[in-house]
Each structure stands twice: as C-alpha cells, then as structure tokens.
Amino acid sequence: MQSTPSRRGFTAALLAAAVLAPMATSSTAAAHARSRAPQSGDDCPPGGLGPELTARLDAAIEGVRKQAAIPGVIAGVWLPGRGSYTRATGVSDTATSTPMATGLFMRIGSETKTFTVTALLELVDEGRIRLDDPICAHIHGVPCGDRITLRQLAEMRSGLFPYTADADFTHALLSDPGRSFTPWELLGYGFRHKNTFRPGETFQYSNTNLILLGLVVEKVSGLGLADFIHRRVLRPARLHRTWFPRGAEIPDPHAHGYTDQTLSGKVADTTHWNSSWAWAAGAMISDFQDLRRWAEIVATGTLLSPQTQAERLKVLPTGFPGTSYGLGIFETSGWIGHNGSTPGYESVTVYLPSQKATMVLLINTDISSGGQEPSTLLARAITEIVTPDNIYDNPVPPR
C-alpha cells in the first residue's frame, strides 16, 4: 500500500529530547519484548532451498526486474525447515552503475504505518488510551471527530479525505520536493474537503488517518513521534538500522530512488526528497535485515500484549478480493504485514504464520509497469515458486 503522491492521482494503495517517565507496565512490557524478540533464524540456512529452486527464483526475479525496468532489487525469503534465499541484483545508482547490495538503506514508505500503529497500541496496553476513544478526546478540529475512533483511523475506515488526493498538495510537493511540511499543514489539505463516508461505513486508504494517530502518540506520550518510536519500538525490537528521519536526510550507504511522479513526467532521482510530507504515514528508512526481524514482530505481536495483538489482527474486508485490513496491517493470501511505496522506492515486508515464513523486498523505483506496482509483480513471482498455496497479491490496485 502506498503513501505515494502521484500526478496520476493519489490513491490508497498504498508511508526531542523530552524524557518520558516510563510506567511500570511499560518497563515490564519492554523486558518481555526483549525476551521474545525473534533471533537470527538459524533454521533458515543460506542456500538451503537447493540449486533448482534457487535457479528458478533467480530467473523469476531477473525476469520481473527487466520487464518492469526496475534499476535494483533486494529480495529475501526465509522458510524455516527448508532454508532461505537472498539476492541483490541490478544497480543502486543508475548514474554510476553501482551494484545493488543487501546492506543498503532504503526508504520504506507506508511500512512506516506498522511502526506508528505499534506505538499507538503500546499506549493502549498501558491504559493511557483506548482504541474506541473518539479522536476528539485527544485532537481537536477533526471533521466529525466526535464520531471517528482511533480504531477506525488505524483500520482506514474513518471517512476522512486523503490529503494526498488534494491537487494543491500535489502541486506544492512536486514543485519543491525539498520543502518541509508540518503535520497540521498536511491535515489542512485533507480537512478542506468533506468526509467521504460515515465513520466505519467502508474501507478507504488515507494517510490523513496516520497523521492523526502520530499526533495522538505525541500528545499522550509527551515525546515527539520519532523519539517515541525509537525508544519504545526500535530499541526493544533490536532494529538498529531503522530510522525516522527529520527531513530529507538518508544515512550511508543507501540506494538512489527513481520516480516519474514529477510535474514534467520525466524520471527524477528522489534520494534526497524531503519525507516530511508523509511523516507518520510513510517517512521511515530501514534495511533488509531489520525488516526481516520486523515482519515476524508485527505479525506475532512481540511488542504487544496478546489481547492487543488480537485486536490488531481483526482484519476487515477492503472491497478488494482476498485482502483484508486490520490495525495498520493487511492480510492477503495468508501473508500478514504491509507494503510501501514512496517516490523512488517500494518495499514489501510480510510474514506467513502457517509456515513461519518471511518475505522482504526492497526496490529503488515506484514507476508502474503495466498498471501494477513493481514490488507486487516481484512478490507474486516469488510466492508462486516458494509458497504456491499462498500467492501474494497487492491489497489495493496501484495509484
């Protein structure tokens, strides 16, 4: 699912040093999370899938990469009891032809939503908020805020207009991709429109929802969202190469990203575009191995109580066959997790509980191929080979 702006129309396919005195329950939860955090996965030995399956995966990935004109791909599948497969192919920089490598940082777009909602659910576990609180109990000025709950925001069922679908926002961003946006500026683009349906009535992917949830986390915790996620999510999950940038920065080494979401329609290098436009919905950066860990943590609820994780996994129909959406996660063909699309980058991070399998994909373009997201084409091709009974498909049509 995307946090991506697009001249073709924004859709939901789709991305301080204040000290918080932790409650006793949060300290206990953090210790519990550390003890339960998934280990390195020794039951997935490299190359364990065998030469025939490995060759089929190599051919499938390279075929999709060339067909979809993807500059570079990082792909990994871990199948306990069977083995694992990892591959980096293509280039990380088209100007220098530097090869893609598995250790590079990449922007992960809407996968950010899994971190923001995890932060929110930790506050639920502490009893500091409730999922069925109306948003007006925490943030004022939201249209129909007395009838929209935190749960509906996380489920994408609020009816709030997606700010990324506002034409003025599109022009503002694409005219100056280096500019900074505040959360309230983003909300202003959405709130100028009428709500699209009554709260809870249906599913509509909207980054407006996640901006509000990010503000709730900040207000209730007393910390900036980036700081709270770092302290309460990334640290206990032992994700040392995942980051919430303040603006356009991206750590080295990184892959360059390429998009055709420009005013002219020409392909541009988006590596240093300012990600503040997506904030709690799509700003974060990570790498291959951290996302492998995160896939299992999200799907199994390592950082949350069993009761709260059960609420998270109550997925509801999206209107797209075979796909449901829960609290900041989707389920499609048995795979649980999220994908991301932001100008120049796409990703997929999912976990298949029935096989305890993990799949991670990172690519350095978001340019559609045949009307489909290139990351979806890759995920489908890989799962057709390794999990033919659970073939991944994009939860929502692109753009």
Side-chain angles (χ1 to χ4, degrees), residues 57 61 72-78 85-89 100 102 288 359-363 378 382:
L57 287 168
I61 290 170
V73 173
I74 303 171
V77 181
W78 295 267
Y85 170 94
T86 60
R87 181 72 69 225
T89 182
M100 185 61 85
T102 58
F288 188 54
M359 178 172 63
V360 175
L361 299 175
L362 291 165
I363 64 175
L378 280 167
I382 290 169

Side-chain angles (χ1 to χ4, degrees), residues 45-302:
L49 297 182
E52 181 180 351
L53 202 57
T54 297
R56 288 178 61 197
L57 287 168
D58 285 346
I61 290 170
E62 196 62 12
V64 172
R65 189 181 74 80
K66 291 179 177 178
Q67 169 202 336
I70 303 169
V73 173
I74 303 171
V77 181
W78 295 267
L79 302 162
R82 294 173 61 187
S84 65
Y85 170 94
T86 60
R87 181 72 69 225
T89 182
V91 299
S92 65
D93 184 340
T94 59
T96 63
S97 297
T98 303
M100 185 61 85
T102 58
L104 300 182
F105 289 100
M106 305 273 268
R107 299 192 187 276
I108 61 172
S110 283
E111 291 196 36
T112 303
K113 293 174 173 66
T114 63
F115 293 93
T116 299
V117 175
T118 297
L120 183 86
L121 294 177
E122 289 188 335
L123 294 174
V124 170
D125 269 341
E126 293 175 3
R128 304 177 75 178
I129 57 175
R130 297 176 304 158
L131 282 170
D132 295 317
D133 286 347
I135 183 62
C136 69
H138 305 286
I139 306 295
H140 300 300
V142 180
C144 298
D146 59 333
R147 288 178 282 154
I148 296 171
T149 67
L150 303 184
R151 183 190 302 273
Q152 289 166 338
L153 292 167
E155 292 172 337
M156 301 293 180
R157 304 179 88 83
S158 71
L160 291 170
F161 187 88
Y163 69 86
T164 50
D166 179 86
D168 289 339
F169 168 77
T170 305
H171 190 267
L173 175 63
L174 299 184
S175 296
D176 182 12
R179 68 165 287 181
S180 291
F181 291 88
T182 69
W184 277 103
E185 283 179 306
L186 300 175
L187 291 174
Y189 288 109
F191 290 173
R192 65 170 66 173
H193 299 271
K194 292 182 179 180
N195 291 10
T196 56
F197 53 82
R198 289 175 295 182
E201 189 173 71
T202 189
F203 172 90
Q204 182 189 32
Y205 197 84
S206 173
N207 286 338
T208 303
N209 297 327
L210 268 291
I211 302 302
L212 285 168
L213 293 181
L215 289 174
V216 171
V217 171
E218 290 195 329
K219 183 174 182 181
V220 174
S221 72
L223 286 173
L225 179 63
D227 295 318
F228 187 88
I229 286 177
H230 176 73
R231 298 182 190 192
R232 296 293 309 280
V233 180
L234 303 182
R235 279 184 184 172
R238 302 205 300 273
L239 303 182
H240 305 303
R241 290 173 60 82
T242 301
W243 190 40
F244 201 125
R246 308 285 175 166
E249 66 273 21
I250 183 170
D252 290 322
H254 57 258
H256 286 245
Y258 302 94
T259 193
D260 62 354
Q261 295 192 64
T262 59
L263 291 178
S264 67
K266 294 180 179 179
V267 174
D269 185 325
T270 66
T271 309
H272 298 292
W273 282 24
N274 192 316
S275 60
S276 62
W277 72 267
W279 195 53
M284 290 180 69
I285 293 165
S286 191
D287 82 342
F288 188 54
Q289 290 297 339
D290 264 17
L291 292 177
R292 177 197 172 183
R293 291 179 57 80
W294 185 238
E296 184 176 351
I297 289 169
V298 170
T300 61
T302 299

Side-chain angles (χ1 to χ4, degrees), residues 304-318:
L304 304 174
S305 70
Q307 295 80 10
T308 298
Q309 180 67 4
E311 293 297 312
R312 182 171 216 172
L313 294 178
K314 288 181 179 177
V315 295
L316 298 171
T318 61

